Amino acid sequence: MSTPTDMQLLAQAQSIAKAFKHNNKYLVTAESCTGGWVAKLMTDIVGSSGWFERGFVTYTNQSKQEMLGVPATIIDEQGAVSEATVRAMAAGALQHSHADISVAISGIAGPGGGTTYKPVGTVWIAWGQLASRDNTSDINVHSEHCLFEGDRDEIRRQAVSHALEGILNAVNESSTGQASH
């Protein structure tokens, strides 16, 4: 994956804005390695308060637990950069907001912090959708593992772009009544 430019990221964000407005849905973000970059892109768009509900920047394990309700056992057993953690982040963001769709991102942007099993560039992203606003515990979550290349900025840009693609897919699926897995 090539590293997206600022203009490409903004174009993705504008497509998301149109889809959320059209579908009368709200987005919430739960970001770790991207540090609120997705939320920033969303709020760069005039009128985003009509479809962007809130963003959580949960950089530490403690903040993931306190703000999103990620169980400490998940982080202890699987790590902050894991499928179970981002799935719990995506669900927790929906449960702690008034949004319909969430995105959660956790990864190792480098230059340090990588291991043999989780090298620099490892990123987990999850997208959550409420099945019904009346039941905030009925959440469909889809997650993906990515391995991006480049320096810290390039890895983070690629993670943001991939997250944006998934957000657009999620809102479009919600309008056709298809739920993600």
Side-chain angles (χ1 to χ4, degrees), residues 157-176:
R157 281 178 179 276
Q158 291 169 71
V160 166
S161 181
H162 195 73
L164 295 175
E165 287 174 22
I167 293 167
L168 189 57
N169 289 340
V171 72
N172 287 335
E173 286 174 1
S174 75
S175 71
T176 62

Side-chain angles (χ1 to χ4, degrees), residues 86-105:
V86 295
R87 290 177 70 85
M89 289 170 66
L94 287 170
Q95 292 166 336
H96 292 90
S97 73
H98 301 283
D100 307 285
I101 295 173
S102 66
V103 64
I105 309 165

Side-chain angles (χ1 to χ4, degrees), residues 8-128:
Q8 289 168 322
L9 292 174
L10 184 57
Q12 285 181 284
Q14 289 170 333
S15 295
I16 289 166
K18 287 177 189 170
F20 271 84
K21 283 191 280 189
H22 175 76
N23 291 296
N24 196 29
K25 301 283 184 183
Y26 277 87
L27 174 68
V28 61
T29 61
E31 302 179 69
S32 187
C33 68
T34 51
W37 199 333
V38 173
K40 183 229 183 280
L41 284 169
M42 299 298 103
T43 58
D44 280 348
I45 298 169
V46 174
S48 58
S49 63
W51 54 271
F52 181 75
E53 210 277 327
R54 72 183 72 183
F56 297 94
V57 177
T58 55
Y59 212 71
T60 66
N61 294 345
Q62 185 175 1
S63 65
K64 289 173 182 66
Q65 293 167 40
E66 291 175 357
M67 296 175 74
L68 301 173
V70 176
T73 54
I74 288 177
I75 295 172
D76 291 344
E77 293 170 8
Q78 299 185 43
V81 180
S82 67
E83 180 177 22
T85 295
V86 295
R87 290 177 70 85
M89 289 170 66
L94 287 170
Q95 292 166 336
H96 292 90
S97 73
H98 301 283
D100 307 285
I101 295 173
S102 66
V103 64
I105 309 165
S106 188
I108 304 167
T115 67
T116 302
Y117 298 106
K118 292 181 185 178
V120 168
T122 300
V123 177
W124 277 97
I125 305 173
W127 301 269

